Amino acid sequence: MEMKSKTLLILYATQTGNTLDVAERIAREAERRACTVVIRSTDDYDANSLPAEDTVIFVVSTTGQGDTPDSMKVFWRFLLQRNLGSHWLEGIHYAVFGLGDSGYQKYNFVAKKLDKRLSDLGATAVVERGLGDDQHPSGYEAALDPWLSSLWSRLNEIKPHFFPKGPDFLVSNEELIGLPKFQVTYHNVDDIDSRLSTATDFKYLQMQIGRARSMSSGKVPHEKCKPDAFLKMVKNFPLTRASHEKDVRHFEFEFVSQVIKYEIGDVLEVLPSQSPAAVDSFIQRCNLDPESLITVHPREMENRHIDNNVNTLDVPIKLRTFVELTMDVTSASPRRYFFEVMSFFATAEHEKERLQYFASPEGRDDLYQYNQKERRTVLEVLEDFPSVQMPFEWFVQLAPPLKNRAFSISSSPLAHPTQVHLTVDVVSWTTPFKRKRQGLCSTWLASLDPEQSIYIPVWFHKGLLPPPPPSLPLIVIGPGTGCAPFRGFVEERAVQSQSENDGVLSEAKGGGFYAAFSRDQPQKVYVQHKMQEQSERIWNLLCEGAAIYVAGSSTKMPSDVMVAFEEIISKESGAPRESAVRWLRSLEKAGKYHVEAWS
C-alpha cells in the first residue's frame, strides 16, 4: 500500500491578513492533537503539487464583489485549466473555510467556487465547507468553532494516521505555546546606517516606513512596504453643516515627492498616524525602552513552516518607530488568540481565569461583547489586566497590524495633474456601553491643518471602477461618500468636452443630476426612488449602450439598486423580470456594470 503523508497542508489566500489568523488557529489545534502541519500562502505553493498531497485545508477570503485575493489569482487560474480533468485530484481529501461579509451580494463567493472546482477535479470533501461572516454578532468565529469541531471528528474517522496518539490526545496549551514566531534583536547605536542622516525628510521617512513594514509580522506578501509617494494637505473643509449628524470632508493634497500618474476610479491608500500619547502609554505599560534600536526576524518553528516572506533588513529601527508604524495598539481590537497568550503571562489568578474563559469556545460571545463590540484597543485590554507582563516578541506577533486605509479618489488627473482629492466621512460611533469611538484615519485627516505641511504616506491602486471611454454614456449611482469617484468622472468628462456650458450633467445633452436627500423629509427618499422617477431616461441610456457604475455602502444599497434596474428594464421593455435579470448579467459579463462597495 502507498504510504500516506502524515503532514496536514493548510493553504490560505488573504487580502488583509485575516485568513492567516484562521490558518494559524487551525494549525495550533492540529498540533494539539499531535498532527504535523505545514502552512503556505497560495502564492507560495506550486498548484501542480496538489495531486501528491493527502489532505489539504483551504482558508480563503472573498474581496470586493466576489473577487479572489491577489495572492490567489495565479493559483486559481491554474485550477481552472481545462486539461486537468475530473480525476486530477482523485484520492485527495480537502476542506474549505471561507471568510466573507454577507452585506455583499457575492457573499463568500471565492470559497463556494473553490469548493465546487476541487470537487469537479475529483477531490473528496472531509466536511461541508464553512462560511465565516463578518456580519455575525460573533464574527467569523461563530462559524469557525463548530466547523473545526466537525473537521477533527471526521478527519479522525477517515484519516487516523494524522493523529498518532489517538483521537482523545491533546497536548496541553502550556506545552504548545512555545516561542513566538518572531524574534527581536537589540542593537547598539553604532549600528545605525549613517546614510540615513543625509537623506531629505520624506526620503528618510520613506526608508523608515519601508524598513519597519518589511519587518512587520502583519505584512501581506503582495503589499509594497515603501509608500508610492508623499502628499501634503492643502485644503480641508466640511461638506456638511455643523449641525448635521455626519461630518463629511473634502480634502485636497499636493504631491511633495514624485508625481504618481493615476486614473479616475483609482484608490488611494493612506497610512494613518496613531496618537503619540497612546503609543507612549503602550510602550510604558509594556516596560519597553522607546529609544532601543531593533530588528525583527521570523523565528524558525520546529514542527511547521509558516510563510511570512518578510524581507527583513539589517538596518535597525527605533522600537517606538516600529510600534507606531506597524502595530495598531490605539484603535483595532485584538484577536482571540491574544487573550489566550495573555493568560499564560497573567500572575493574578482571577485575571488568568477570565482570560482563559475569553479564549475558550464557551466564552466566545462574552469576549465579543467585551472586545469587538466595544472596539477595545490593545492598550485598553492591557490596562484591564494589569498583572500581564508579556514579552515584546509576542506583541509583535499578536498586536493587530496597522493597516492602510483605502479611499476612492475623487479627482481627475486631467483637471488636477499635481493633486489628489478625497471625499471622506469622518467615522464616529457610540458603543453599547456608551463609549465614544472614532475612526483612526478619517479623524486624523480631519484634524490636520494644511499649514502644518505634514507628509502623508500613500499608495495608489486600481479600483473596481475602470475609467470609461470618453464617448461612452454613463449611469452613475453614488449614495453618500459613494459620490467620491464620480466627482472625478465628472471632472474628467468636463475637461474632455473642453466646455462647462451645457456640461456633462446637463439634461439638454441627455444627462441629468438627481439627488436623493433621504433625511430631509419624514418619508425616506433613496437613490432607487430617484431611479424609478427617471425610468424612461435610464432605459433610453441603456438602449444607447450606457455603462452602469455603482459606489457606496455594501449593506443593502447595491442589491436595492440592482432590483431597481430589473424593475425599470422590465417595465420599459415590457419583458418579464427574468429577461431583465439576464440583461443585467450580460452587462456584467461585458464589463459594463461595475460596483465598488465597502462596509
Side-chain angles (χ1 to χ4, degrees), residues 336 356-369:
R336 192 157 91 180
Q356 288 172 337
Y357 170 69
F358 274 161
S360 70
E362 298 75 33
R364 184 192 67 217
D365 291 344
D366 285 338
L367 174 62
Y368 186 80
Q369 294 298 322

Side-chain angles (χ1 to χ4, degrees), residues 407-426:
F407 301 96
S408 298
I409 295 175
S410 61
S411 55
S412 157
L414 283 183
H416 306 281
T418 63
Q419 289 193 337
V420 184
H421 298 177
L422 298 180
T423 305
V424 175
D425 182 4
V426 182

